[in-house]
Amino acid sequence: MRSQAVLVDFSDAPEGVWRGDELGEAGAATCPSGHPGLDAELPGGGWPLGALTEILQPAAESPLWPLLLPALAQAAAVRGQPVALIGPPHEPFGPALAAGGLPMESLLWVRADAAPARLWACEQALRCAEVAAVLAWLPQARLGELRRLQLAAARHGALLFVCRPDAAAPSSSPARLRLRLQPQPDGQLDVHLLKRRGPPLARPMPMPGRGARLSGLLEATRPGRPAAPASPILPAGEGGATVVRLDLRRALRQDPRHALDRASVAA
């Protein structure tokens, strides 16, 4: 018996039926991302609460904080509870996070190199009602482990972001949202929406890859820009000591892993 394709017309579908070519509802509460353009493309207008959001990166050190910091800061402030960082690639840069609204006293930093230890810490944090959000770097997480985290996140409605490498894109994932971040040479960050309840996004969304303060600082010190004369920012003290503006370019050339360079991950 030969099978025949059936064309179904949903143009007259009753109210309440979701069509695959339309942006669906989140199905649960959401937290605004802090980026209006992105919220317009996310079901429910923000990051899902009590569900897994998976973020794919070309490298663990790729820019991430400008995208997530507004929501993490809001979650910590509204709930009055800490944000857990599980296995970040660098030490959290407190001043930059505090400038974005997330003070150090609102952070739980879990240092763990082994994959089982990171997974265990992430699951325990999600089971704790006193944790507002979890941001974890789990490059080796498997499908079953991600499903366990999804269930754990639903228990108390916490924000959950799991960072994984770009190579995981072809594999299946239980995440409600799945994004791929692609840093650009000009400092922008292209956000690809790989999975959402709705039609695929044809083009990536350009987002700032650095915080506004760091972008202004790097712009002021970029090669080719006329250098402002070094002037004292404090009056001369005893012995003629003065404090002058530091040469950021020279500091970065001498030590590419300078603290201000690491701040680009957080700013």
Side-chain angles (χ1 to χ4, degrees):
M1 181 176 179
R2 181 180 299 178
S3 61
Q4 296 182 349
V6 178
L7 179 62
V8 181
D9 183 9
F10 287 101
S11 58
D12 296 325
E15 185 178 356
V17 175
W18 171 62
R19 297 173 49 178
D21 60 349
E22 296 177 348
L23 188 62
E25 296 295 330
T30 60
C31 174
S33 70
H35 309 284
L38 178 60
D39 286 343
E41 300 293 344
L42 297 179
W47 304 119
L49 294 171
L52 168 63
T53 296
E54 186 178 1
I55 298 178
L56 305 180
Q57 300 175 279
E61 298 84 3
S62 299
L64 176 73
W65 285 106
L67 177 66
L68 301 184
L69 184 54
L72 294 176
Q74 179 180 351
V78 170
R79 296 179 55 167
Q81 298 167 339
V83 172
L85 305 181
I86 313 294
H90 294 299
E91 178 180 349
F93 190 69
L97 296 180
L102 187 62
M104 287 297 290
E105 55 266 25
S106 295
L107 287 179
L108 294 175
W109 175 27
V110 179
R111 301 178 62 176
D113 295 327
R118 290 190 184 189
L119 183 67
W120 179 87
C122 186
E123 196 166 357
Q124 296 306 310
L126 290 170
R127 289 178 176 178
C128 181
E130 286 73 31
V131 173
V134 174
L135 171 56
W137 284 258
L138 304 176
Q140 299 169 332
R142 294 172 292 188
L143 179 60
E145 295 167 340
L146 293 175
R147 284 176 176 162
R148 286 203 338 246
L149 296 181
Q150 172 93 343
L151 293 175
R155 185 170 186 175
H156 297 296
L159 271 174
L160 171 60
F161 299 100
V162 170
C163 300
R164 300 180 69 204
D166 234 352
S171 62
S172 60
S173 171
R176 186 170 297 174
L177 276 178
R178 207 176 193 203
L179 296 80
R180 183 174 67 220
L181 307 185
Q182 186 177 5
Q184 298 299 317
D186 61 357
Q188 292 292 318
L189 186 66
D190 282 353
V191 178
H192 301 257
L193 288 178
L194 302 183
K195 180 182 178 181
R196 63 173 178 172
R197 190 179 183 186
L201 196 63
R203 296 181 180 179
M205 296 191 60
M207 306 282 293
R210 305 187 184 104
R213 294 185 180 183
L214 183 62
S215 296
L217 179 61
L218 294 178
E219 172 63 20
T221 57
R222 66 179 172 81
R225 183 184 179 94
S231 58
I233 58 175
L234 290 178
E238 294 185 4
T242 58
V243 180
V244 298
R245 182 170 58 87
L246 296 177
D247 186 344
L248 178 62
R249 288 199 305 266
R250 184 175 61 185
L252 295 182
R253 286 197 301 268
Q254 292 174 349
D255 182 6
R257 299 183 65 81
H258 188 272
L260 282 178
D261 185 47
R262 292 197 299 272
S264 65
V265 181

